Amino acid sequence: MFRYRTCLLVLAVIVAARPLPGQESDPIFEHLTGEWIGEGTLMGRTAQFTMIWKHQRGFAILEFTNAFVNTDQQATPVLNAIAVYRTSPANPEAVWLDSRNQRVEIRWETSDSTLVSHWTAATEAGRTTYHVVSTDQVEVVDEVVSNDTWRIFGTAEYRRVHEPS
């Protein structure tokens, strides 16, 4: 009897931990999971970036910061943010909250090793493209749209500093 109850309990835990049918996570979020440090440009200036992706039970949480890097290598913080993504392709949405007091709505799509986040805020719209180059490298391009024209305002090349836990 004990083994039967134990087997039922284990089966119940396994079933409860899995996403519901149709709610499976897109694999891109597993590839992004971890801690990343990036270097690149932001609004035409040298910048540094960090992103930490955590993935759990149908959601991905992104913690993000960026800063300008001065000629003396001193960093001046620009923005910090947190975003929560639903990771199911059936519900490709997210919300981003940042230190500018912006709330940004996101709809996302993927193809192979790329996540494209189409975002809309109160005063702007744009897209952020995350391209997973390898297990230890991600390239990111940030664009804003103005008068039906896309303009790049940020690029970064990230390297992984910590594996997913």
Side-chain angles (χ1 to χ4, degrees):
M1 186 65 164
F2 177 75
R3 285 187 187 171
Y4 178 73
R5 281 188 188 163
T6 303
C7 287
L8 284 178
L9 179 61
V10 169
L11 182 59
V13 168
I14 291 170
V15 169
R18 290 187 1 205
L20 298 171
Q23 298 296 313
E24 290 80 13
S25 289
D26 192 290
I28 194 74
F29 294 102
E30 287 295 329
H31 295 301
L32 289 169
T33 298
E35 186 174 342
W36 303 84
I37 293 178
E39 296 177 347
T41 60
L42 177 64
M43 295 179 270
R45 295 178 58 186
T46 302
Q48 64 185 24
F49 306 84
T50 64
M51 60 181 183
I52 301 170
W53 286 88
K54 298 175 185 172
H55 181 228
Q56 186 177 16
R57 298 186 57 98
F59 292 94
I61 298 169
L62 166 62
E63 297 174 38
F64 174 83
T65 65
N66 63 18
F68 291 127
V69 178
N70 301 326
T71 54
D72 61 358
Q73 299 305 305
Q74 293 296 315
T76 303
V78 176
L79 178 82
N80 60 54
I82 190 164
V84 178
Y85 282 74
R86 291 183 192 269
T87 59
S88 167
N91 295 301
E93 60 188 359
V95 64
W96 162 288
L97 302 171
D98 65 36
S99 56
R100 302 172 301 169
N101 291 321
Q102 288 279 350
R103 182 178 195 282
V104 180
E105 299 290 327
I106 299 170
R107 298 292 292 175
W108 59 266
E109 61 184 341
T110 61
S111 61
D112 297 329
S113 58
T114 302
L115 167 67
V116 180
S117 296
H118 302 274
W119 46 268
T120 306
T123 60
E124 61 189 4
R127 66 182 169 217
T128 301
T129 303
Y130 303 86
H131 177 68
V132 178
V133 177
S134 70
T135 58
D136 294 322
Q137 183 182 1
V138 173
E139 295 174 346
V140 178
V141 176
D142 286 302
E143 300 171 274
V144 66
V145 66
S146 178
N147 298 323
D148 296 324
T149 302
W150 288 98
R151 182 180 57 83
I152 295 174
F153 69 89
T155 62
E157 189 169 306
Y158 288 84
R159 64 178 168 74
R160 184 186 299 276
V161 290
H162 290 288
E163 290 293 323
S165 45

